[in-house]
């Protein structure tokens, strides 16, 4: 525009024509100025893209590290709570690590002292199996879905029976004929020399009737299976 105004001055245009020329060209000048400003901003943005990208990656990495730290802290707090819960029961326990699943589940531990066959394996306060054999560095555990397993058990009502696994299903058997219970009734361990009282086994699923059997029995839903559990312990002294 300045070129055109200079040209107008050079041509000795009248003031009114100069004013008209200015009013006509002013919007164009403003548009060009805005375009130059936008171009400058865009150029600045593009030149800063690598820096923005690096900062974004840095923030993502920092966020991931924070997530890991929070998760580790949560796990540590959970472990402390669990160990405190176990300590409140005054049990002597050994933490064990799951290393293999099968008919016999394989565990290992950093401390084998006091671990013997027949001892209960727990996840929290839930019974998940019994120690079958100890062969350092492994511990073979019989889960609750094995036919040879048999554990003295009781209903939450106090009625006593035995936990077994038969017909491909967990059962509580040998309940008294006058036992009254229903589905969702909880089943717990009875105390023995190696197993403490009130470890959770599961809940009644269905009452099984057998006119030829004077005792009652029922199928169970296990509270926890080894394949879906974590943070396992062996109770070495109930």
């Amino acid at each position: 525009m300045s070129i055109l105004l200079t040209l107008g001055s050079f041509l000795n245009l009248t003031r009114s024509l100069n004013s008209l020329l200015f009013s006509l060209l002013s919007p164009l000048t403003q548009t060009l100025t805005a375009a130059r400003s936008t171009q400058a901003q865009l150029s600045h943005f593009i030149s800063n893209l690598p820096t923005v990208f690096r900062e974004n990656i840095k923030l993502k990495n920092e966020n991931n590290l924070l997530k890991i730290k929070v998760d580790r802290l949560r796990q540590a707090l959970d472990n402390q709570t669990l160990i405190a819960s176990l300590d409140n029961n005054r049990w002597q326990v050994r933490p064990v690590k799951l290393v293999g699943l099968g008919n016999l589940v394989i565990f290992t531990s950093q401390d084998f002292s006091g671990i013997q066959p027949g001892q209960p394996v727990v996840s929290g306060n839930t019974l998940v199996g019994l120690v079958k054999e100890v062969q350092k560095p492994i511990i073979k555990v019989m889960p609750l879905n094995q036919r040879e397993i048999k554990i003295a058990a009781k209903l939450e009502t106090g009625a006593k029976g035995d936990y077994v696994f038969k017909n491909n299903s967990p059962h509580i058997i040998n309940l008294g004929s006058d036992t009254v219970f229903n589905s969702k009734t909880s089943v717990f361990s009875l105390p023995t020399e190696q197993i403490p009282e009130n470890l959770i086994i599961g809940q009644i699923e269905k009452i099984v009737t057998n006119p030829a059997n004077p005792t009652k029995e029922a199928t169970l839903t296990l509270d926890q299976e080894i394949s879906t559990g974590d943070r396992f312990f062996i109770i070495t002294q109930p």
Side-chain angles (χ1 to χ4, degrees):
M1 177 177 177
S2 59
I3 295 174
L4 293 174
L5 290 176
T6 302
L7 180 61
S9 176
F10 177 77
L11 294 174
N12 197 24
L13 298 176
T14 64
R15 179 172 299 179
S16 60
L17 287 176
N18 274 333
S19 177
L20 177 61
L21 184 62
F22 179 83
S23 62
L24 290 174
L25 294 178
S26 180
L28 178 60
T29 304
Q30 293 174 358
T31 301
L32 290 173
T33 302
R36 289 194 191 98
S37 176
T38 301
Q39 183 181 16
Q41 292 174 359
L42 183 59
S43 298
H44 179 74
F45 174 76
I46 292 174
S47 65
N48 282 308
L49 273 178
T51 302
V52 172
F53 180 76
R54 287 194 298 270
E55 289 296 323
N56 188 42
I57 293 296
K58 181 181 177 182
L59 288 173
K60 284 184 177 179
N61 290 335
E62 290 176 351
N63 187 47
N64 288 335
L65 287 174
L66 285 174
K67 287 180 179 179
I68 292 171
K69 289 180 180 179
V70 168
D71 187 61
R72 287 177 178 173
L73 178 59
R74 179 189 60 77
Q75 290 181 2
L77 292 174
D78 287 347
N79 286 334
Q80 289 176 7
T81 302
L82 178 57
I83 292 172
S85 174
L86 295 174
D87 287 343
N88 288 336
N89 288 300
R90 297 182 180 178
W91 302 332
Q92 292 183 18
V93 300
R94 297 287 180 269
V96 291
K97 181 179 179 181
L98 175 65
V99 294
L101 294 171
N103 290 334
L104 290 179
V105 182
I106 307 302
F107 287 87
T108 190
S109 178
Q110 294 182 343
D111 184 359
F112 279 77
S113 60
I115 298 178
Q116 299 176 2
Q119 292 172 338
V121 181
V122 298
S123 176
N125 288 321
T126 298
L127 179 64
V128 295
L130 299 176
V131 175
K132 175 72 173 178
E133 191 176 348
V134 180
Q135 295 178 338
K136 295 181 182 179
I138 65 172
I139 304 160
K140 296 181 179 180
V141 171
M142 182 167 52
L144 298 186
N145 60 355
Q146 293 295 303
R147 287 183 298 174
E148 59 185 289
I149 202 163
K150 187 175 183 179
I151 300 168
K154 66 176 182 178
L155 305 181
E156 64 183 61
T157 59
K160 298 178 181 180
D162 294 296
Y163 170 82
V164 297
F165 189 84
K166 66 174 188 176
N167 301 327
N168 294 318
S169 180
H171 282 69
I172 184 168
I173 62 172
N174 299 330
L175 294 167
S177 58
D178 58 346
T179 302
V180 178
F181 59 97
N182 52 40
S183 62
K184 304 305 180 183
T185 298
S186 295
V187 180
F188 302 92
S189 64
L190 281 170
T192 67
E193 185 177 344
Q194 292 182 303
I195 301 175
E197 187 175 17
N198 291 331
L199 292 177
I200 304 168
I201 296 176
Q203 290 183 328
I204 297 294
E205 181 182 46
K206 183 174 64 175
I207 300 170
V208 179
T209 58
N210 184 356
N213 190 342
T215 63
K216 288 185 177 181
E217 62 182 70
T219 59
L220 305 181
T221 300
L222 294 176
D223 185 68
Q224 179 74 68
E225 295 191 36
I226 292 178
S227 60
T228 57
D230 62 353
R231 295 192 295 276
F232 299 100
F233 293 83
I234 292 175
I235 299 176
T236 57
Q237 184 63 50

